[in-house]
Amino acid sequence: MSDIKKVIINKKTDLNPIWIMRQAGRYLPEFREIRKQNTDFIKLCLNQELSSEITLQPLKRFDLDAAIIFSDILMLPYGLNQKVEFKKNFGPLLGELNLNEILKLEEIDFVQKILPVYKAINIVSKNQLTKNKSTIGFVGAPWTLLVYMINKQSPKLKLKNDFFKDNFLIKKILIILEKFLKVHIKNQIDNGADIIQIFDSWAGLLEKKDLPNYVYIPTLNLVEFVKTLGVPVICFPRGIKDYKNYCETVKPDAICIDYEVDPIQIRKEITIPVQGGLDPKILLTDKDNLGKEAKKYLDIFKNHPYIFNLGHGVLPETDPNMVDYLVKTVKDY
Ligand code: CP3
């Protein structure tokens, strides 16, 4: 069993495993080299030879405890036949949302369209570099995917005023998302993912009164589904203010915290295993500061099951030497 699973399942507190959100990505020159020759991001995700190689790149450099599959949460709307593009210096851009077409979609056609993602997971989980380590599969939470599907781009700081105007469409999309997210999760697990992380990057955009309908209930359904498959599930509801209420309601096996929440308060309030927290911007400072800030998290969660990670993805401008220093600091603690 991987150290990450020992923390989550056996509640071990002396292991300090580490992985990093977006660990395979633009801060690595070897990734940029491949990316330069593959300008279509979706196509790259659907090339199992390259996407498995990219997934393993950070494990060749650093003593990380997990591989997270190089893919994207937006492969799901792509599989549902909504157009998805990644524009340079802009981010994701989605096409028109055609409900009738999505309603007609069959499970086998969805799976066929994104099959290379599962093949890549299979390759990664069988590679020597992931021996005794975890292969993390992931999905976007229904709410965050709904935001992208309706807004068609990243929402930045707030939702448009008319976001909720088509209630019928929203209800239907949430039902479809639940169905296909389960298919997507099951296929990742069947191909070797031994942990699932649910990314709810835009949970923080909602008012408290809307959390049950859009975050708690849809995510709880997925969490319960992952549990029936015997795999631990980590939830990352970025920007949510009340992590305690979230954990008590959604009941993930572990909770990933963002960098805006006070880790001391989390330590006091949360009883389940915790992951993450360190501000990715700390990696842009210097080694002394990085060591100090990383130890702050390790000290706070000393007697608590804790998986080291950042409070959001590693930034593209990060120096890989700083990541190396971070991993060593955590391992030597
Ligand atoms: O963590 C990993 O190493 C695994 C791969 C991974 C990617 N995206 C690859 C990626 C994972 C887990 C994601 C999740 C994801 N994708 C989220 C949830 C986490 C978060 O960041 O909040 C979201 C919201 C997305 C949607 C998305 N994909 C955005 C907003 C962007 C553009 C922003 C940016 O950083 O450029 C992407 C593109 C993307 N996904 C890249 C990578 C490596 C950069 C693509 C490039 O090389 O240009």
Side-chain angles (χ1 to χ4, degrees), residues 224-285:
E224 286 179 340
F225 177 73
V226 182
K227 287 181 181 173
T228 65
L229 301 175
V231 163
V233 53
I234 307 170
C235 285
F236 180 39
R238 183 166 73 93
I240 205 142
K241 306 281 156 338
D242 194 346
Y243 273 95
K244 181 169 183 274
N245 197 16
Y246 182 94
C247 288
E248 286 168 0
T249 316
V250 177
K251 301 185 189 68
D253 294 301
I255 184 81
C256 182
I257 57 172
D258 66 77
Y259 58 86
E260 281 175 333
V261 68
D262 175 11
I264 295 171
Q265 191 186 343
I266 294 287
R267 176 67 183 87
K268 281 191 204 132
E269 287 183 353
I270 305 278
T271 52
I272 64 170
V274 173
Q275 169 180 285
L278 183 74
D279 190 338
K281 288 191 282 299
I282 302 291
L283 284 148
L284 307 179
T285 62

Side-chain angles (χ1 to χ4, degrees), residues 14-278:
D14 56 345
L15 295 172
N16 304 323
I18 174 170
W19 68 280
I20 294 172
M21 290 189 273
R22 291 276 172 95
Q23 64 189 29
R26 282 171 299 189
Y27 74 106
L28 289 178
E30 57 271 36
F31 170 76
R32 291 199 299 270
E33 195 50 46
I34 294 181
R35 185 75 170 93
K36 212 163 64 190
Q37 281 143 29
N38 295 271
T39 49
D40 185 329
F41 181 76
I42 295 273
K43 274 201 192 135
L44 184 55
C45 293
L46 293 175
N47 178 331
Q48 71 250 29
E49 273 80 37
L50 287 179
S51 64
S52 56
E53 185 186 329
I54 292 168
T55 302
L56 293 169
Q57 282 176 345
L59 278 81
K60 290 183 182 156
R61 277 181 180 254
F62 317 117
D63 186 15
L64 296 160
D65 291 282
I68 177 153
I69 201 69
F70 178 78
S71 177
D72 198 274
I73 61 165
L74 299 179
M75 293 312 284
L76 198 113
Y78 174 82
L80 297 178
N81 288 326
Q82 187 173 14
K83 198 171 164 199
V84 180
E85 283 179 276
F86 288 87
K87 287 205 146 164
K88 214 177 162 159
N89 305 321
F90 178 78
L93 188 60
L94 284 77
E96 279 313 305
L97 182 60
N98 185 330
L99 185 61
N100 287 329
E101 215 167 278
I102 291 181
L103 285 169
K104 276 192 295 197
L105 182 71
E106 306 251 2
E107 189 179 314
I108 50 164
D109 297 319
F110 169 83
V111 171
Q112 194 58 39
K113 203 165 173 202
I114 57 173
L115 201 62
V117 174
Y118 310 129
K119 291 190 175 159
I121 293 177
N122 206 290
I123 297 170
V124 167
S125 65
K126 291 195 171 112
N127 191 286
Q128 271 300 315
L129 285 163
T130 60
K131 205 172 165 230
N132 300 322
K133 300 187 173 193
S134 276
T135 299
I136 302 178
F138 66 85
V139 291
W143 164 247
T144 286
L145 290 176
L146 183 76
V147 168
Y148 280 105
M149 290 174 80
I150 294 203
N151 201 56
K152 303 190 181 71
Q153 63 183 65
S154 295
K156 315 277 182 267
L157 295 172
K158 65 192 268 285
L159 291 171
K160 294 196 182 101
N161 289 332
D162 63 353
F163 183 86
F164 291 105
K165 77 167 189 284
D166 195 343
N167 195 256
F168 177 79
L169 178 71
I170 287 180
K171 288 249 158 71
K172 284 283 190 194
I173 295 291
L174 283 175
I175 293 168
I176 293 162
L177 281 172
E178 178 174 339
K179 172 179 165 190
F180 286 97
L181 281 167
K182 286 178 176 170
V183 171
H184 194 35
I185 288 170
K186 171 115 183 13
N187 276 290
Q188 295 186 62
I189 293 172
D190 287 348
N191 282 284
D194 69 342
I195 295 177
I196 294 291
Q197 176 150 322
I198 301 177
F199 287 93
D200 212 347
S201 307
W202 299 113
L205 292 180
L206 284 167
E207 290 173 37
K208 198 174 168 196
K209 69 169 178 34
D210 291 321
L211 287 173
N213 277 340
Y214 297 106
V215 170
Y216 293 165
I217 296 168
T219 314
L220 176 63
N221 287 337
L222 289 185
V223 164
E224 286 179 340
F225 177 73
V226 182
K227 287 181 181 173
T228 65
L229 301 175
V231 163
V233 53
I234 307 170
C235 285
F236 180 39
R238 183 166 73 93
I240 205 142
K241 306 281 156 338
D242 194 346
Y243 273 95
K244 181 169 183 274
N245 197 16
Y246 182 94
C247 288
E248 286 168 0
T249 316
V250 177
K251 301 185 189 68
D253 294 301
I255 184 81
C256 182
I257 57 172
D258 66 77
Y259 58 86
E260 281 175 333
V261 68
D262 175 11
I264 295 171
Q265 191 186 343
I266 294 287
R267 176 67 183 87
K268 281 191 204 132
E269 287 183 353
I270 305 278
T271 52
I272 64 170
V274 173
Q275 169 180 285
L278 183 74

